[in-house]
Amino acid sequence: RMPLTTRSRAIQKNLGQFGAFAAIVLAMGSVAGELDRGTAAFVLVRPVGRASFLVAKAASIGLVLAIGVALAVAVAWIYTAILFEPMPVGGWVGLGVLGWLGLAVWAAITFLASVVTGSAAAAAGLGFVGLQGVVMFAMYMVGIVAAVAVAWLLKRTMLRGPTPPFVMELPSYKMPAPMTVFYRMLDRGW
């Protein structure tokens, strides 16, 4: 009998790896490729604005990713039910929603790169590399928001009252002796 965390971890890993690759491939040429080949102008029977075209493209990418994630989660649930025992569907639905959100971020970065650069290859490269920067930025932002929220909460609950003055006492500064600096540099240098 396989532990529960191992099954869900395997599904999460596969969705993260193959799903991310699918999201990048799906979004990388969605605008740049169609503009290069001229299929966007050929397929559209009446002129539409750029914003409408981009919103329709983004919605179609999101819908295709949602269908793909839903199929992957359904097949994984059936496969798990056959091999082990049927598990509650609610957790699997949550896994699918979170997986889709993660893939949608990846696809959105690649889609943005496709719109801005006008090149499918550049969009794919930025899609693979760009997510790391977004994750790092998001981690900083979550940290800042959490720190402000905790400070506000503590100020309202445990740290009520007037704010005490902040006094930091520093030792007096003395100029180091030249021989001390020389011996210290000699010691650290060797």
Side-chain angles (χ1 to χ4, degrees), residues 84-104:
F84 305 103
E85 75 262 352
M87 296 175 55
V89 177
W92 288 83
V93 170
L95 175 71
V97 168
L98 289 176
W100 178 80
L101 284 174
L103 295 178

Side-chain angles (χ1 to χ4, degrees), residues 116-139:
V116 171
T117 63
S119 166
L126 288 173
F128 280 114
V129 175
L131 189 64
Q132 296 168 358
V134 169
V135 168
M136 188 60 125
F137 179 73
M139 287 171 46

Side-chain angles (χ1 to χ4, degrees), residues 38-53:
T39 54
F42 182 70
V43 171
L44 296 173
V45 292
R46 61 183 180 152
V48 295
R50 181 172 173 83
S52 300
F53 177 73

Side-chain angles (χ1 to χ4, degrees), residues 23-110:
I24 288 173
V25 169
L26 182 65
M28 72 184 196
S30 61
V31 175
E34 287 194 10
L35 292 177
D36 286 344
R37 291 187 301 268
T39 54
F42 182 70
V43 171
L44 296 173
V45 292
R46 61 183 180 152
V48 295
R50 181 172 173 83
S52 300
F53 177 73
L54 294 178
V55 167
K57 280 291 181 185
S60 65
I61 291 170
L63 182 64
V64 169
L65 279 177
I67 292 170
V69 168
L71 286 174
V73 168
V75 167
W77 184 85
I78 292 169
Y79 182 72
T80 304
I82 291 171
L83 289 179
F84 305 103
E85 75 262 352
M87 296 175 55
V89 177
W92 288 83
V93 170
L95 175 71
V97 168
L98 289 176
W100 178 80
L101 284 174
L103 295 178
V105 169
W106 214 308
I109 291 169
T110 309

Side-chain angles (χ1 to χ4, degrees), residues 5 9 11 19 31-32 39 47 57 72 90-91 95 97 125 127 141 146 148 164 171 175:
T5 56
R9 262 204 189 301
I11 300 301
V31 175
T39 54
K57 280 291 181 185
L95 175 71
V97 168
M141 289 298 108
V148 169
M175 194 73 154

